[in-house]
Amino acid sequence: MATLATPVRKRGHEDRQAPAVRAVRATPFTYGTLLIVAAILTTPLVFVGSIALSSDATVNNGAFTIIPREFHWDNFSRVFGTELPVGTFLLNSVLISLFSVVGQVLSSGLVGYAFARLRAPGKNTMFLVVIATMMIPTQITMIPQFILFRDLGWVNTFLPLIVPNFFSNAFNVFLVRQFVSRLPSELDEAAMMDGLGFFGVYRRIMFPMLRPVLIAIGIFTLTHTWGDFMGPLIYLNDESKMPLALGVQYITATSQAGQAPPWNLVMVGSILLALPMILVYYLGQKYLYEMDISGGSAGVK
């Protein structure tokens, strides 16, 4: 009678199973700790809202409270009626941020895809050089950049704040390159057999698949440029060209000598500065979670 021999499987790397993740059971102590931490983290935000809703008398007396006792919603309209063009500040921030996002998304996608797919001598060395630029402090390049933009006649324009974003940066290139390197190269080869070139493959095949990482890059860029204070402070001189991040600081200087700054209007400007970023993160957080640079599977779902 023939017997079926069970093949002996060798213990290899493929047979190792990842340890199971044990679920942590929540207890009342866990919820209590989370509530305390959440209260500590949200207290500054509540305090900002309380000051923004305060009256001018409360500001002059400095009688602020963490929990709002006054609700002067007209402060959100009064801030646009000051001697400073707050509406222009807001529009400038929108223009600078949107153009910067477009530049970073377009350039980072192309450069990262080129580093991941193109074959060229010295490509890896060049990529290491690009990554090494992340270790250069911004303060070192600040003066040479200013001299360059001054010689180009770009000072007091939006160009120094927008144009560099069309040349990407090392971090965004790294994100795209890692994402693309995890995608199957057979997709590119099949598209090239159909007659598509490098840009055709990127535009028709790769660009839609890179949506999670490109949206994440857009969110990172928008967050940086929307709240950028140092760049506009260096390159912009005219009040009509300043973004909101710089304009909020100017609101504190509108008071007379010896008089307290209008902190309620300053906090309204701070809320206008923070609220769009909270909304953008809320709408785009799912793409941040899908941006799995270790597996790269989000683009082929």
Side-chain angles (χ1 to χ4, degrees):
M1 183 177 180
T3 58
L4 297 177
T6 303
V8 179
R9 297 179 61 185
K10 296 181 179 180
R11 294 182 179 179
H13 178 73
E14 64 275 9
D15 295 331
R16 299 175 184 174
Q17 296 181 354
V21 179
R22 299 180 60 183
V24 179
R25 180 175 298 179
T27 62
F29 176 76
T30 304
Y31 287 112
T33 303
L34 293 176
L35 286 175
I36 293 174
V37 174
I40 295 174
L41 295 178
T42 56
T43 296
L45 299 178
V46 177
F47 194 31
V48 168
S50 176
I51 298 176
L53 297 175
S54 300
S55 62
D56 293 339
T58 302
V59 172
N60 294 330
N61 296 328
F64 301 120
T65 58
I66 296 179
I67 304 299
R69 293 184 303 179
E70 300 173 313
F71 298 91
H72 292 269
W73 298 101
D74 58 316
N75 290 340
F76 287 86
S77 59
R78 285 179 54 205
V79 72
F80 293 96
T82 61
E83 59 184 16
L84 293 174
V86 178
T88 304
F89 294 161
L90 188 60
L91 180 60
N92 293 338
S93 295
V94 171
L95 292 177
I96 295 173
S97 300
L98 289 182
F99 280 108
S100 299
V101 168
V102 172
Q104 282 290 343
V105 169
L106 293 179
S107 59
S108 300
L110 284 172
V111 177
Y113 174 64
F115 273 119
R117 286 292 193 259
L118 289 185
R119 298 177 181 177
K123 181 187 70 173
N124 294 331
T125 302
M126 187 179 299
F127 180 71
L128 292 177
V129 172
V130 173
I131 296 300
T133 59
M134 296 174 61
M135 296 183 289
I136 301 177
T138 307
Q139 292 78 6
I140 293 179
T141 60
M142 189 178 297
I143 295 178
Q145 282 184 349
F146 177 81
I147 296 175
L148 174 62
F149 294 141
R150 184 197 60 185
D151 293 341
L152 292 174
W154 289 3
V155 175
N156 201 28
T157 67
F158 293 158
L159 295 178
L161 307 175
I162 295 176
V163 172
N165 290 287
F166 281 84
F167 295 90
S168 186
N169 61 52
F171 179 71
N172 293 339
V173 170
F174 171 77
L175 289 181
V176 177
R177 191 253 188 186
Q178 293 300 105
F179 193 94
V180 174
S181 63
R182 299 292 181 174
L183 298 177
S185 59
E186 289 79 4
L187 297 173
D188 304 53
E189 297 172 357
M192 290 180 180
M193 292 180 63
D194 291 337
L196 291 179
F198 172 78
F199 291 101
V201 173
Y202 175 77
R203 182 173 60 89
R204 297 188 180 185
I205 306 298
M206 285 296 164
F207 188 80
M209 301 174 69
L210 292 175
R211 184 177 64 174
V213 68
L214 292 181
I215 292 179
I217 289 174
I219 294 175
F220 297 152
T221 305
L222 182 63
T223 304
H224 172 72
T225 55
W226 183 265
D228 186 21
F229 177 83
M230 186 60 65
L233 180 64
I234 294 175
Y235 296 109
L236 298 180
N237 300 324
D238 292 345
E239 192 176 88
S240 60
K241 298 180 181 180
M242 295 178 181
L244 186 60
L246 185 59
V248 169
Q249 190 273 340
Y250 274 76
I251 299 178
T252 63
T254 58
S255 60
Q256 299 177 358
Q259 183 181 1
W263 293 117
N264 49 357
L265 301 184
V266 173
M267 292 301 109
V268 169
S270 300
I271 292 176
L272 295 177
L273 194 62
L275 193 59
M277 295 301 97
I278 297 175
L279 182 62
V280 167
Y281 177 78
Y282 176 77
L283 296 177
Q285 59 181 333
K286 65 177 182 179
Y287 298 104
L288 297 177
Y289 298 149
E290 289 181 4
M291 190 189 62
D292 183 11
I293 62 175
S294 63
S297 59
V300 293
K301 289 181 179 180

